[in-house]
């Protein structure tokens, strides 16, 4: 790092190592993601934009997926892909969360993602801002137009 003051301006010279942006902790596995954007939501995304992405980390029982209005018990943690692996929220420390499907208690993308899981499955969802917390984000934790990664384990279907 080098700074030089001229008569009118300050010139800042940065070494190349500071000019590159570090890769996302999940970028190496992006090729393994499947686009699971529901048909009714695909119009939100342009040709060059990615929709709702899923990567199965551990297979479930393969039997039954959650249905609309069904209650589920899940473990989840959320991170911002362009930050470190630091969780912005997680159920790991406080215990599993119960959630009624399609009740607007979680972001739309997570709700869509849960509908593709079976009991015992663990998956990573990359939820774009249009299906996450929208243009406004969730200040101060989630910035505006933020993509959010959710690691989710479907523990139980209730009812």
């Amino acid at each position: 790092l080098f700074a030089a003051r001229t008569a009118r301006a300050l010139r800042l010279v940065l070494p190349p190592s500071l000019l590159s942006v570090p890769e996302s902790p999940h970028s190496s596995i992006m090729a393994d993601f499947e686009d699971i954007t529901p048909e009714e939501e695909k119009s939100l995304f342009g040709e060059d934009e990615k929709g709702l992405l899923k990567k199965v980390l551990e297979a479930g029982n393969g039997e039954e997926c959650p249905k609309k209005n069904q209650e589920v018990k899940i473990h989840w943690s959320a991170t911002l892909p362009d930050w470190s692996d630091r969780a912005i929220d997680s159920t790991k420390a406080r215990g599993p969360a119960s959630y009624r499907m399609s009740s607007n208690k979680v972001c739309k993308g997570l709700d869509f993602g849960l509908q593709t899981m079976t009991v015992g499955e663990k998956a990573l969802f990359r939820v774009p801002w249009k299906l996450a917390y929208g243009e406004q984000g969730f200040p101060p934790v989630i910035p505006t137009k933020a993509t959010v990664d959710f690691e989710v384990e479907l523990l139980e279907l209730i009812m």
Side-chain angles (χ1 to χ4, degrees):
L1 182 62
F2 173 74
R5 185 176 295 273
T6 64
R8 293 188 170 179
L10 179 66
R11 182 175 162 217
L12 186 62
V13 179
L14 297 174
S17 63
L18 292 179
L19 295 176
S20 63
V21 177
E23 284 192 18
S24 158
H26 301 296
S27 62
S28 62
I29 59 172
M30 281 304 293
D32 297 332
F33 277 79
E34 173 188 2
D35 188 336
I36 61 164
T37 308
E39 283 301 318
E40 66 270 18
E41 303 296 332
K42 287 188 177 185
S43 64
L44 292 173
F45 302 97
E47 286 183 33
D48 296 338
E49 290 182 288
K50 295 194 183 321
L52 177 60
L53 302 176
K54 176 183 179 180
K55 177 183 175 154
V56 175
L57 303 174
E58 289 179 25
N61 65 13
E63 293 175 13
E64 188 179 4
C65 296
K67 295 174 180 56
K68 188 174 183 176
N69 296 318
Q70 185 169 24
E71 193 166 338
V72 296
K73 188 178 281 189
I74 59 174
H75 259 308
W76 62 273
S77 63
T79 58
L80 298 174
D82 49 348
W83 289 17
S84 69
D85 272 337
R86 182 179 63 102
I88 53 177
D89 196 7
S90 176
T91 62
K92 303 283 183 183
R94 60 182 182 262
S98 292
Y99 161 71
R100 184 167 308 282
M101 299 294 297
S102 309
S103 65
N104 297 322
K105 298 286 185 194
V106 297
C107 71
K108 202 174 193 180
L110 183 54
D111 195 72
F112 288 139
L114 282 166
Q115 293 173 41
T116 69
M117 297 180 76
T118 60
V119 174
E121 184 176 329
K122 191 181 277 190
L124 179 63
F125 296 100
R126 175 151 290 172
V127 183
W129 68 269
K130 293 175 183 177
L131 296 176
Y133 296 95
E135 195 165 337
Q136 74 282 352
F138 195 77
V141 179
I142 300 170
T144 61
K145 294 186 177 181
T147 293
V148 181
D149 283 348
F150 289 95
E151 187 174 304
V152 181
E153 181 179 9
L154 180 56
L155 302 171
E156 183 180 351
L157 299 177
I158 304 168
M159 292 194 318

